[in-house]
Amino acid sequence: MGIYADLGRAIAAYAEGGPPVRVSIYADADSAVELCGEVTAELSETHVRVRSDDGLVFAAAKADLTFLPGDAP
C-alpha cells in the first residue's frame, strides 16, 4: 500500500489506544545521522509529528520515514 496508508492505519490504531508507531528518518539526504522516535500525531495528508528518542519534537514528511523493524503494519 505505501507509507501513507500504512502510517494512517497505524496512527488511527494509536489514537484508539494501540502501540506507538516507531519510525526512523535521516537528518538530511546526505547525512549518516539517523533519528528514531515515535509518531505522535498526523499533521496533514503528507506530514506527521515525531518525538525522537532524545525528546526533540519535529514535523516530518511521511515519504521520508521508515518503520523500525517490528513496527511495520
Side-chain angles (χ1 to χ4, degrees):
M1 279 224 141
I3 190 79
Y4 291 94
D6 291 342
L7 269 173
R9 283 194 308 277
I11 292 167
Y14 175 64
E16 295 292 321
V21 182
R22 301 267 310 148
V23 295
S24 69
I25 185 170
Y26 285 95
D28 63 54
D30 299 321
S31 177
V33 176
E34 182 180 26
L35 301 171
C36 297
E38 298 178 354
V39 173
T40 59
E42 188 166 34
L43 300 176
S44 71
E45 190 174 300
T46 58
H47 286 74
V48 293
R49 183 182 309 129
V50 176
R51 180 183 312 275
S52 69
D53 292 342
D54 64 358
L56 177 68
V57 177
F58 58 94
K62 292 177 181 178
D64 294 339
L65 298 174
T66 302
F67 287 104
L68 291 176
D71 286 313

